[in-house]
Amino acid sequence: MAVVFRALLRPARAPVRLLLRAPARLSSAGTQFQYLVVEKKGAKQNVGVIQLNRPKALNALCDGLMNEMNQALDFFEKDPHVGAIVITGSEKAFAAGADIKEMQNRTFQECYGGNFLAHWNRVSLVRKPVIAAVNGYALGGGCELAMMCDIIYAGEKAQFGQPEILLGTIPGAGGTQRLTRAVSKSLAMEMVLTGDRISAQEAKEAGLVSKIYPVEKLLEEAISCGEKIAGNSKLVTAMAKEAVNAAFEMTLTEGNKMEKRLFHATFATDDRKEGMAAFVEKRKANFTDH
């Protein structure tokens, strides 16, 4: 279960309600977010950016925030112009965990009967690539949220951890499962059983993080990566993401079979024809997502 590390948590206060900051098409929908700032970024406005915005609570993941997260993800998922999504926090905290006050008095019956935290998994189900830009603390639910994304970029001062054991519980939003797949069993076990954190450099060496950037450059670099992805065929990109994710769910034989099927499927697309034609003709491909 995602938690806020006690040494970091300060009493949460009601955050200021923010209007959705984005181009006219977004704001015209009248959508309001209390815990997020949502925008389109990039030279072609084709990268969706979701910024957690609970600064006084170190971006603690309350139920309202995660519901808004799902709304923002659904919006970008349906937008045909958006080719990638970036999730980020502040320079101090990506997300320091879940809101302890919100879950402190929950009973087993409530958690089990209501399938508590099930809706947090939406991030991992988005078909478009999602990049986590992690500065500062990514602890408990924050670490789990980052691991739900497809790529993790970290600022130089980022810290990752699953400190749930220190509060008498365990990770409940994929921490024991995704961390073990991302790093070695030994390191995952150590982090889960001790609650110890690892630095951005340690996370990169372990394979949890793809790249490390200076704090002030992190979001810019994550958006740049999103722009590169968005410049490819969105249809084929979704196939590529599905194939890579299958490696965590299937045996090598099953995964290779699925990869072949998806590879063959690309030959039914206009974008595969355009991509190969552009290569032969030594020009830039003009993908139409068909």
Side-chain angles (χ1 to χ4, degrees), residues 11-84:
R13 299 177 182 175
V16 177
R17 173 169 286 272
L18 297 177
L19 289 174
L20 177 65
R21 297 194 319 193
R25 182 180 174 188
L26 285 171
S27 58
S28 64
T31 306
Q32 289 184 321
F33 291 108
Q34 184 174 358
Y35 305 110
L36 304 175
V37 176
V38 181
E39 304 174 285
K40 287 185 184 179
K41 292 284 190 177
K44 296 182 179 180
Q45 296 284 288
N46 56 1
V47 178
V49 176
I50 302 172
Q51 181 178 12
L52 281 59
N53 191 54
R54 294 190 72 198
K56 294 183 178 179
L58 295 176
N59 291 332
L61 305 177
C62 62
D63 196 57
L65 186 151
M66 294 308 295
N67 285 331
E68 290 185 0
M69 174 73 71
N70 292 346
Q71 292 175 32
L73 289 169
D74 287 342
F75 184 89
F76 286 138
E77 184 86 301
K78 294 174 184 176
D79 189 330
H81 192 63
V82 171

Side-chain angles (χ1 to χ4, degrees), residues 5 162-166 187-197:
F5 193 46
Q162 298 289 164
E164 289 86 347
I165 198 75
L166 303 176
L187 179 57
M189 193 71 80
E190 180 183 26
M191 291 173 66
V192 170
L193 297 185
T194 67
D196 288 348
R197 313 172 205 168

Side-chain angles (χ1 to χ4, degrees), residues 34 43 60 65 82 89 107 120 148 156 168 179 186 188 196 220 245 280:
Q34 184 174 358
L65 186 151
V82 171
T107 65
W120 285 35
M148 290 179 201
E156 293 173 325
L179 187 62
S186 179
D196 288 348
E220 175 187 334
N245 281 335
V280 171

Side-chain angles (χ1 to χ4, degrees), residues 190-260:
E190 180 183 26
M191 291 173 66
V192 170
L193 297 185
T194 67
D196 288 348
R197 313 172 205 168
I198 58 174
S199 67
Q201 188 59 47
E202 289 171 318
K204 186 176 186 301
E205 291 172 357
L208 180 62
V209 165
S210 176
K211 293 180 180 177
I212 299 174
Y213 292 102
V215 171
E216 66 278 4
K217 284 282 189 179
L218 176 66
L219 182 56
E220 175 187 334
E221 294 292 345
I223 292 171
S224 178
C225 177
E227 288 183 287
K228 289 180 183 178
I229 293 171
N232 297 321
S233 166
K234 297 178 182 62
L235 179 63
V236 177
T237 294
M239 292 182 183
K241 173 175 175 174
E242 183 178 357
V244 173
N245 281 335
F248 292 94
E249 306 291 340
M250 299 179 174
T251 65
L252 180 60
T253 299
E254 292 169 335
N256 278 330
K257 287 181 180 178
M258 180 179 181
E259 179 189 76
K260 286 293 187 296

Side-chain angles (χ1 to χ4, degrees), residues 83-103:
I85 301 167
V86 173
I87 298 178
T88 191
S90 65
E91 290 189 0
K92 187 174 183 180
F94 176 72
D99 194 322
I100 295 301
K101 288 186 175 181
E102 192 173 76
M103 67 174 70

